[in-house]
């Protein structure tokens, strides 16, 4: 007995314009940046925003990998 596989279409993993608009509204980023971070985080808006802010804050401070301390604020 052989069971047929159910294939999940890639459409379910697409980033929607609503997600992009929500991210842009909250971060003031470009469409390209919103699309990049949303795809990186599989459509998870909160994770995309956190990563975007972390990246922007790191580059603004001159280092992508420097740890931040409470005393830095």
């Amino acid at each position: 007995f052989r069971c047929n596989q159910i294939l999940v279409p890639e459409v379910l993993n697409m980033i929607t314009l609503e997600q992009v608009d929500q991210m842009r509204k909250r971060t003031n980023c470009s469409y390209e940046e919103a699309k990049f971070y949303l795809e990186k985080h599989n459509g998870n808006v909160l994770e995309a925003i956190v990563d975007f802010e972390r990246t922007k804050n790191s580059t603004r401070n001159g280092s992508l990998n420097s740890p931040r301390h409470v005393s830095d604020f």
Side-chain angles (χ1 to χ4, degrees):
F1 179 76
R2 191 169 179 195
C3 184
N4 290 336
Q5 284 185 313
I6 298 174
L7 299 177
V8 179
E10 292 294 323
V11 174
L12 295 178
N13 294 326
M14 286 181 53
I15 304 304
T16 66
L17 186 56
E18 287 79 15
Q19 290 170 306
V20 171
D21 287 341
Q22 186 176 14
M23 182 159 175
R24 292 191 73 230
K25 176 181 166 189
R26 294 176 182 269
T27 63
N28 200 30
C29 68
S30 69
Y31 281 99
E32 184 177 19
E33 289 170 316
K35 182 178 180 286
F36 170 81
Y37 284 100
L38 286 165
E39 286 176 344
K40 180 177 177 183
H41 294 284
N42 299 314
N44 184 316
V45 176
L46 180 57
E47 290 298 321
I49 291 170
V50 169
D51 190 11
F52 172 81
E53 289 181 345
R54 186 178 297 131
T55 302
K56 289 298 176 185
N57 287 336
S58 295
T59 48
R60 194 177 318 138
N61 293 329
S63 173
L64 288 174
N65 297 317
S66 66
R68 303 213 41 199
H69 303 282
V70 173
S71 60
D72 292 343
F73 298 97

